[in-house]
Each structure stands twice: as structure tokens, then as C-alpha cells.
Amino acid sequence: MHLPRSGDVLHVTRSASVQFAAPIYFRVIRAHDWPTYHGWIWLDGYELNASGDAVERRSIFVQINGLRHLQPNAGRHNHPQARRPMRTNSSAFTARVRVG
């Protein structure tokens, strides 16, 4: 298991710490290098909602081996639609343009 890095999205469950009986998705801002118990780490980041949007900034203390790394944006269920160029009716467009 590698150490979490900035931008990583994690699924944090009870296996990381008993405080996460209700699992959360978490986007890492930074992993602190503070001295702590072997196998544990302090992380700063954002708790994500079901859409993958940040809802709360948090610092969490977790067991590294209990974290599940996800692909970036894996928590996102709503992907923005690709934008298509807007079609314009050329006659309607030219009717709105004033010349001189």
C-alpha cells in the first residue's frame, strides 16, 4: 500500500478506523509526516458526497492499510455532458445583426 498523495480519492471505512462505521469518500490534500503510531497517518482533505463534490474539509487519523484507493473522480456519478457547438439558424442570426 502506498502512502496517499495529494489528489488521491480514498474510500475510508471501518477498516481504516472505527470512527468510519459509516464509510466516506475522501479526496486528499496532503498527508502529514507527523510522528504517530506505526501504520497510522494524519490526512487533510475533503469529504465527498455521492456526486463526488467536496462537502466538508476534514483532518482524519487512519490506518494506511485500511484505506482503499480509487481512481481519480471515481466518487463522481454525474459526469458533465459534452458540450456541442450551438447551431444557429443563419437567417435568424443575420436578422439580429444591424449593419451601419
Side-chain angles (χ1 to χ4, degrees), residues 35-83:
T36 185
Y37 298 105
H38 179 75
W40 289 77
I41 191 167
W42 278 100
L43 300 173
D44 285 340
Y46 292 98
E47 183 175 342
L48 307 176
N49 64 14
S51 298
D53 299 318
V55 293
E56 183 179 352
R57 184 163 178 176
R58 297 182 65 169
S59 293
I60 60 175
F61 184 60
V62 291
Q63 292 183 64
I64 297 168
N65 288 334
L67 298 172
R68 194 172 108 212
H69 288 256
L70 304 175
Q71 296 299 322
N73 295 324
R76 293 188 80 83
H77 298 295
N78 298 329
H79 298 286
Q81 295 292 324
R83 293 191 176 187

